[in-house]
Amino acid sequence: MAKFEQVKNGVIFPAGEKNEAFAQFFVGQSYLKTLVADPAVSVGVGNVTFEPGCRNNWHIHRGGFQLLLVTGGEGWYQEEGKVAQFLRAGDVIVTHDGVKHWHGASKDSWFEHIAITSGTPEWLEPVSDEIYEALESGDLK
């Protein structure tokens, strides 16, 4: 049984539906509940839930930023060229314009964050199993 099973139903907001719209940019299954999608507001807000082992591809936010407010479970965040950060509920990540990064669940835990995003994402290559497995084995890279 995975850790933080209760996260799969959502912690503060519902987990939402399977994230089919962005499935091609994830390894594993994620769920998305859009919280703010007002065309008059230049920021999108969504509750993203990751099954154990799920992670998104490397990506860059162009002309904007991304804030991650971790609400449940355990996961990872990494910027290119930097050591990955282990995340737990209460952690906050600020990703600036043009920074290549990825985020997702740890191998044995559900993970959830609120994503506050401005700008346009540029989706890149998947995070390799080699990089991910090194994190999971405790060999942070």
Side-chain angles (χ1 to χ4, degrees):
M1 179 183 243
K3 294 191 298 188
F4 298 99
E5 285 279 332
Q6 70 276 15
V7 170
K8 70 181 170 184
N9 297 315
V11 177
I12 298 170
F13 298 100
E17 302 298 319
K18 286 185 176 181
N19 190 1
E20 301 296 345
F22 294 93
Q24 65 186 338
F25 307 119
F26 284 74
V27 172
Q29 185 63 59
S30 68
Y31 302 83
L32 176 62
K33 173 66 177 170
T34 300
L35 302 175
V36 176
D38 183 335
V41 176
S42 63
V43 175
V45 180
N47 185 42
V48 185
T49 306
F50 300 76
E51 288 186 352
C54 177
R55 59 201 184 263
N56 55 31
N57 288 7
W58 288 98
H59 59 287
I60 298 169
H61 297 278
R62 301 285 184 193
F65 58 84
Q66 186 171 59
L67 308 175
L68 303 177
L69 310 176
V70 180
T71 56
E74 296 176 344
W76 295 102
Y77 171 84
Q78 185 174 25
E79 293 180 359
E80 184 177 45
K82 294 186 179 179
V83 174
Q85 298 174 53
F86 186 69
L87 302 176
R88 292 186 177 101
D91 288 336
V92 176
I93 295 293
V94 177
T95 306
H96 296 277
D97 186 19
V99 175
K100 184 176 177 180
H101 68 287
W102 70 272
H103 34 104
S106 66
K107 190 174 186 176
D108 63 349
S109 177
W110 285 80
F111 179 63
E112 186 173 74
H113 62 55
I114 304 297
I116 302 167
T117 308
S118 175
T120 304
E122 177 185 342
W123 292 100
L124 304 166
E125 73 277 4
V127 174
S128 71
D129 289 340
E130 179 180 81
I131 289 173
Y132 187 74
E133 292 298 328
L135 297 176
E136 290 293 328
S137 71
D139 184 20
L140 296 177
K141 294 190 177 194

